[in-house]
Amino acid sequence: MRTVVVLMDTLRRDHLSCYNPDTACIAPNIARFAEESCRFDGHFVGSMPCMPARRDFFCGRTNFLERSWGPIEIEDVTLPKVLFERGGVRSHMITDHAHYFRIGGENYCQQFNTYEFFRGQESDPWVSLIDDPWQPERYFGDVKRQYQCNRTRITCEGEFSSVKCFEAARRWVDENEGAEDFFLMVETFDPHEPFNVPQDYLDLYGDDYDGPFFELPKYHRRDEETDAAMAHLHHRYEALITMNDRHFGEFIDRLKAAGMYDDTLIILTTDHGYCFGEREFIGKNYMPAYNEIANIPLIVHFPGGAHAGESRSQLTQNIDLMPTILDYQDVEIPETVMGRSLRAVVEKNEPIHDYALYGTFGCAVNVTDGRYTYFRGGRDQSKCFEYTTSLTTIRDWLGKGRGDQIEAGRFLPRVPYPVYRVPSGPEALVKDGGTYANEDHLFDLETDPGQTVEVEDEAVLSRMEALLVRGMREAQAPEDQFLRLGLDV
């Protein structure tokens, strides 16, 4: 069996016509792929943002209740390793996601038999310039020196690292034409910010903005950004989707030409969404986990074209992708996996979950039953601890300078190793849970899909709180999390 996963970072589902026929975003190849595939409407994130989401996918279980951004841990049982060690299935990753190669992103690519990395995204320490590169005098958001250095080598479409990823994927198909058993993961950082895109794609959106430079927004509540600037930023994001769509389509066409499409499991998804001024928020992480961020696309081409053009509304999450791939590859699913195979959803139209639990470490813990969403904010952040066997986090050492506060012991019953217990500190991705990200909210998605009107119903609140507690128990959340959230259990 052949499996291909395409993960485009920060891809909002409402920008894809298969989810939103009224979208202005131009992505005809994804639309064509969706017609030949099954669309999942109730698909939610688990852990956020980038690396926590990938640990969910690699391990089939949620990360965010135990720790923030971090590496693959010593106890982790991962999809590529299981495929090879139990099924003899070789794997290859193609990526331009620089976080895999920074502190805090260790051991992800190394799970694969082989991998390729294309340089230059975001502040990837790639291009060295002693003198400062060009930087705009007037701008909204931020301008990062290292990315301005990197973009001196990104002067045409073919030099964008995401384009190189799809080019490498096409080359890989040529070199492995006719292969039967493999797992190929093609991952592009685009359409993640900075929203640098060739002008030809921006022109498709009639963008005539002439204000301050704006490609890299700061994550904050909108203040000085003008309506014109926000429209321009959104156009840049849409244009990046359009560029990715073109090269995704060429990759799919290459699979078809090689006779490696029809009988292949092909998954298209993302790690999370993004806010472009909805409720005045820009970015992600620091605000409540609204559906613009949490309800993500999942489009799956099943072998033989089964269920093409169909959709499913049952709740699913990215932790379900590992057991799904193992199921279709006929490899035993490890006991450590919390997710469940999509086979019952697709073939029998049956639910596999009655809730989805999701969030960012240290922020609100969120749960949906498909009808309601409940965000439960922290009450006592002093009860927020990270549990890990590896003291690294995003671009930094976890607990650095606070060694006297770190304990080691067998704190996690499911982990057969001693772990560090580290009080959440200044290196956390969202400091103290953020101003907005630890608020309580309760929404009715059926009557209020935009999540703008709070539900005032004690019976619903009580039921969703009980569902949250159950979900945390089933996820084997540390007891500290219940204390942090003020849950009487």
Side-chain angles (χ1 to χ4, degrees):
M1 240 286 293
R2 299 181 287 251
T3 300
V4 175
V5 172
V6 178
L7 193 156
M8 300 181 188
D9 202 299
T10 319
L11 180 64
R12 274 181 52 160
R13 64 175 240 161
D14 61 354
H15 285 56
L16 305 179
S17 61
C18 61
Y19 284 102
N20 175 21
D22 297 326
T23 182
C25 188
I26 303 166
N29 293 299
I30 294 176
R32 175 167 56 97
F33 176 72
E35 291 173 355
E36 302 167 350
S37 307
C38 186
R39 186 191 76 225
F40 292 80
D41 296 342
H43 193 63
F44 279 78
V45 297
S47 306
M48 297 181 286
C50 299
M51 299 317 292
R54 284 156 179 79
R55 189 172 177 221
D56 279 15
F57 167 66
F58 275 55
C59 300
R61 57 180 303 116
T62 50
N63 164 93
F64 78 98
L65 292 167
E66 294 178 2
R67 69 156 301 156
S68 63
W69 185 296
I72 290 293
E73 301 271 357
I74 188 173
E75 76 274 8
D76 286 345
V77 179
T78 66
L79 172 60
K81 288 289 188 183
V82 171
L83 281 171
F84 186 63
E85 293 172 359
R86 299 188 184 182
V89 178
R90 291 191 172 275
S91 60
H92 183 64
M93 172 188 264
I94 298 169
T95 185
D96 63 346
H97 195 95
H99 289 301
Y100 284 127
F101 302 92
R102 293 184 172 122
I103 293 177
E106 298 88 354
N107 303 324
Y108 286 84
C109 287
Q110 291 78 8
Q111 302 303 303
F112 292 77
N113 294 103
T114 50
Y115 61 86
E116 294 178 81
F117 173 45
F118 293 96
R119 305 294 301 271
Q121 287 282 17
E122 208 183 35
S123 293
D124 177 21
W126 179 38
V127 176
S128 173
L129 296 178
I130 303 304
D131 295 331
D132 285 342
W134 175 84
Q135 298 203 47
E137 294 182 3
R138 298 171 56 243
Y139 57 89
F140 289 124
D142 203 357
V143 176
K144 296 292 180 66
R145 183 187 188 279
Q146 183 58 58
Y147 186 67
Q148 294 303 106
C149 290
N150 292 345
R151 67 189 298 166
T152 62
R153 295 192 194 172
I154 307 173
T155 60
C156 65
E157 183 173 349
E159 293 175 347
F160 278 77
S161 57
S162 58
V163 174
K164 292 178 180 179
C165 284
F166 281 118
E167 179 184 14
R170 296 194 301 272
R171 182 172 61 249
W172 190 93
V173 170
D174 291 341
E175 292 170 350
N176 291 277
E177 186 171 345
E180 289 296 332
D181 291 316
F182 63 77
F183 169 42
L184 173 65
M185 184 167 180
V186 184
E187 180 179 349
T188 65
F189 199 58
D190 289 334
H192 191 291
E193 79 274 8
F195 303 122
N196 179 24
V197 65
Q199 186 63 39
D200 289 350
Y201 289 98
L202 194 57
D203 289 343
L204 294 174
Y205 293 90
D207 188 89
D208 58 359
Y209 176 71
D210 62 357
F213 186 85
F214 196 21
E215 288 186 359
L216 179 58
K218 291 182 178 179
Y219 292 179
H220 73 300
R221 203 80 184 259
R222 180 181 168 188
D223 46 34
E224 64 176 356
E225 295 88 359
T226 64
D227 289 346
M230 289 303 301
H232 171 67
L233 187 75
H234 195 199
H235 287 154
R236 302 193 75 89
Y237 172 75
E238 292 173 316
L240 270 179
I241 293 176
T242 301
M243 183 175 76
N244 251 23
D245 175 81
R246 172 190 171 185
H247 297 281
F248 169 76
E250 291 178 353
F251 169 59
I252 293 297
D253 287 344
R254 187 65 60 86
L255 285 171
K256 290 180 177 179
M260 299 168 68
Y261 179 78
D262 290 341
D263 293 327
T264 300
L265 179 70
I266 306 173
I267 298 171
L268 173 63
T269 190
T270 189
D271 49 0
H272 52 69
Y274 199 85
C275 284
F276 284 94
E278 293 87 358
R279 306 170 200 83
E280 300 303 309
F281 289 114
I282 303 175
K284 60 180 187 287
N285 300 340
Y286 69 95
M287 75 284 279
Y290 296 113
N291 275 5
E292 289 88 351
I293 297 170
N295 190 192
I296 57 175
L298 174 65
I299 306 170
V300 182
H301 173 273
F302 288 95
H307 314 291
E310 298 179 6
S311 65
R312 297 292 184 271
S313 60
Q314 290 90 344
L315 288 172
T316 58
Q317 296 188 266
N318 271 1
I319 59 171
D320 299 323
L321 299 184
M322 176 178 179
T324 299
I325 293 168
L326 292 174
D327 187 1
Y328 280 87
Q329 289 278 6
D330 198 25
V331 175
E332 182 182 358
I333 299 170
E335 293 181 357
T336 55
V337 171
M338 290 171 44
R340 297 172 183 170
S341 171
L342 298 175
R343 190 185 289 271
V345 175
V346 175
E347 297 181 0
K348 300 179 181 179
N349 207 18
E350 295 178 351
I352 55 174
H353 302 291
D354 58 0
Y355 68 86
L357 190 74
Y358 55 98
T360 298
F361 175 82
C363 301
V365 179
N366 315 289
V367 67
T368 182
D369 62 359
R371 168 73 186 271
Y372 296 97
T373 54
Y374 176 48
F375 305 162
R376 175 80 175 204
R379 273 53 171 170
D380 184 355
Q381 291 299 102
S382 71
K383 299 295 192 297
C384 191
F385 296 90
E386 304 205 32
Y387 293 89
T388 179
T389 61
S390 182
L391 292 174
T392 62
T393 189
I394 180 170
R395 303 186 184 94
D396 206 350
W397 298 100
L398 186 64
K400 183 178 180 179
R402 298 182 291 123
D404 59 332
Q405 301 175 44
I406 299 174
E407 301 175 273
R410 298 188 180 276
F411 296 113
L412 298 180
R414 72 171 187 84
V415 178
Y417 300 95
V419 299
Y420 295 107
R421 183 175 187 260
V422 186
S424 181
E427 67 279 350
L429 191 64
V430 183
K431 309 297 186 296
D432 298 322
T435 303
Y436 307 104
N438 261 316
E439 299 172 343
D440 286 13
H441 295 284
L442 179 62
F443 300 110
D444 184 339
L445 296 178
E446 185 175 292
T447 61
D448 177 32
Q451 296 172 294
T452 59
V453 180
E454 299 285 341
V455 172
E456 303 290 344
D457 187 320
E458 288 300 321
V460 173
L461 177 61
S462 178
R463 184 171 62 81
M464 294 303 291
E465 183 178 291
L467 190 61
L468 178 72
V469 170
R470 180 185 141 209
M472 292 175 63
R473 286 292 182 207
E474 291 180 353
Q476 300 173 292
E479 291 299 314
D480 304 323
Q481 285 285 358
F482 296 94
L483 297 174
R484 181 179 76 87
L485 297 175
L487 292 169
D488 185 15
V489 294

